Amino acid sequence: MTVTLRTAAVELDSAAVRFRSKKIDVTAIREVSLSVEPGEFVSIVGPSGCGKSTLLKLVSGLLKPSSGTVRLLGEPVTGPRHDIGYVFQRAALLEWRSVRRNILLQAEMRGMPAAEAARRADELIAMTGLAGFEDALPHELSGGMQQRVALCRALLHRPRVLLMDEPFGALDALTREQMNVELRRIWRETDTTVLLVTHSIAEAVYLANRVVVMTARPGAVRELIPVDLPEEREYSETLARPEFSTTTAHIRRLLG
Ligand SMILES: Nc1ncnc2c1ncn2[C@@H]1O[C@H](COP(=O)(O)OP(=O)(O)O)[C@@H](O)[C@H]1O
Ligand SMILES: [Mg+2]
C-alpha cells in the first residue's frame, strides 16, 4: 500500500526569532507551528508588533529562524527564495517607469525570457483591470491602481507562494473592499498559495480558508480558525451571513 502525503506549501515547526545585538534583545516570535496547504489562502492577524512581518520574512528566507524550522514546498528555507512573490503596504513602484515596465522589473531581476514575461504581463494587466494604463506613470494612478501594479509585479514569475504584508492598509475603505473582491477572484484563477497579514478582521475572514490569530509579542499561534463560508463569495451577501459575523466576533474577542 502506498500512502501519498501532500507536501505542504509552507511549513513552520516551532519557529522562533530572537533579534540580538549590543543594544537590543527582542524575541519577536516565540514558537510558531503552522502548515499551509498548496493553494490555500491563510490570513494572519494579531496585535501590533507581535511578529507578523517577521513571520513572512521567515517564509521568504529574508530572515533565518533562531530555532525551529521553516520549509517551503517541502524544502528547508536557507536563504532568499525566488519562487515567492511579496507585496507590501507601499507599492514601491519606480516613479520614472511606466506601469508595464514596473511589472516587467520582476522579469529583469530574474532573467525571465522577454517574450514569456511580456505575455504574462499582458495577462495580469487584463486580470487586474489595468488595461489602458500600461504606459501611465505611477503618479498618474490612484492608490488602488498602484497596489494592482505591485500585485502584477509580484505574480509575474508565477510564484507558488504569495506573501502579502498589509497590502491594502493605506487604501480608503471602499477601494479596499474592491481590492478584496479582486484579490479573491485572482487567487481563485491562479493556483498560488497566499499568506496575508492584515489588521482588518473582515478582510482576513472574507479572503481566507483559515485565519491565524497570533498572541502579543513574543508571537505564537493563539488559534487557527477555519472559515466556514462558501467558495463563491459575493461581497455584501458574504458579510451579511451569520457564519461571517460569528467568525469575526470570535476573532475580535481573541484580540481583546
Ligand atoms: N530587524 C529587527 N531588529 C530588531 N528588532 C526587530 C527587527 N524586526 C522586527 N523587530 C522587532 O520584532 C517585533 C516584531 O516586529 P514585526 O514582525 O514587525 O511586528 P508586526 O508586523 O506584527 O507589527 C517588534 O518588537 C520589532 O520591534
Ligand atoms: Mg508588520
Side-chain angles (χ1 to χ4, degrees):
M1 197 181 77
T2 52
V3 181
T4 31
L5 286 175
R6 261 178 119 188
T7 307
V10 176
E11 193 160 31
L12 294 112
D13 189 11
S14 304
V17 176
R18 184 171 173 186
F19 293 107
R20 279 179 95 171
S21 68
K22 280 198 182 105
K23 287 198 194 115
I24 54 152
D25 185 352
V26 178
T27 302
I29 59 176
R30 176 159 49 93
E31 202 199 77
V32 173
S33 296
L34 175 69
S35 180
V36 180
E37 295 282 302
E40 204 181 3
F41 196 123
V42 171
S43 296
I44 301 163
V45 298
S48 187
C50 75
K52 302 179 294 296
S53 298
T54 300
L55 185 59
L56 292 195
K57 283 181 200 157
L58 268 183
V59 174
S60 73
L62 288 174
L63 270 179
K64 286 195 172 64
S66 315
S67 60
T69 55
V70 182
R71 287 171 177 272
L72 201 72
L73 305 160
E75 288 170 31
V77 176
T78 52
R81 295 277 300 227
H82 298 296
D83 41 5
I84 59 143
Y86 225 131
V87 182
F88 303 93
Q89 181 164 343
R90 282 192 53 253
L93 306 177
L94 299 178
E95 287 301 327
W96 61 92
R97 279 188 165 225
S98 66
V99 162
R100 171 168 260 282
R101 294 194 57 237
N102 262 290
I103 297 170
L104 288 172
L105 194 63
Q106 183 78 266
E108 291 166 28
M109 284 175 356
R110 291 169 199 278
M112 270 172 82
E116 184 200 327
R119 243 193 334 270
R120 179 68 178 149
D122 286 338
E123 231 171 75
L124 289 165
I125 285 168
M127 200 192 268
T128 52
L130 285 169
F133 291 90
E134 293 87 342
D135 299 322
L137 291 172
H139 77 266
E140 296 170 311
L141 306 176
S142 68
M145 290 166 87
Q146 291 184 13
Q147 275 313 65
R148 287 189 187 112
V149 178
L151 183 60
C152 290
R153 187 180 55 195
L155 290 173
L156 190 77
H157 56 302
R158 299 180 192 276
R160 302 284 296 280
V161 176
L162 178 65
L163 305 174
M164 306 186 85
D165 198 346
E166 300 184 40
F168 310 131
L171 303 178
D172 65 86
L174 214 62
T175 307
R176 188 171 189 154
E177 286 179 8
Q178 286 165 358
M179 294 298 290
N180 284 181
V181 173
E182 281 181 32
L183 177 59
R184 174 131 185 116
R185 179 179 51 78
I186 290 163
W187 167 71
R188 293 186 72 197
E189 284 174 19
T190 59
D191 54 4
T192 311
T193 307
V194 182
L195 260 65
L196 168 87
V197 167
T198 178
H199 276 126
S200 160
I201 298 174
E203 179 171 284
V205 173
Y206 171 75
L207 283 166
N209 301 116
R210 286 190 295 161
V211 180
V212 176
V213 180
M214 291 180 69
T215 64
R217 191 184 67 235
V221 176
R222 166 116 195 240
E223 208 171 304
L224 255 171
I225 299 161
V227 176
D228 184 22
L229 288 169
E231 276 302 294
E232 216 48 74
R233 298 186 188 175
E234 197 280 317
Y235 197 78
S236 324
E237 192 258 333
T238 302
L239 267 67
R241 279 177 172 266
E243 310 92 287
F244 186 86
S245 320
T246 323
T247 310
T248 51
H250 178 60
I251 295 172
R252 197 160 291 120
R253 258 196 311 278
L254 288 176
L255 293 175

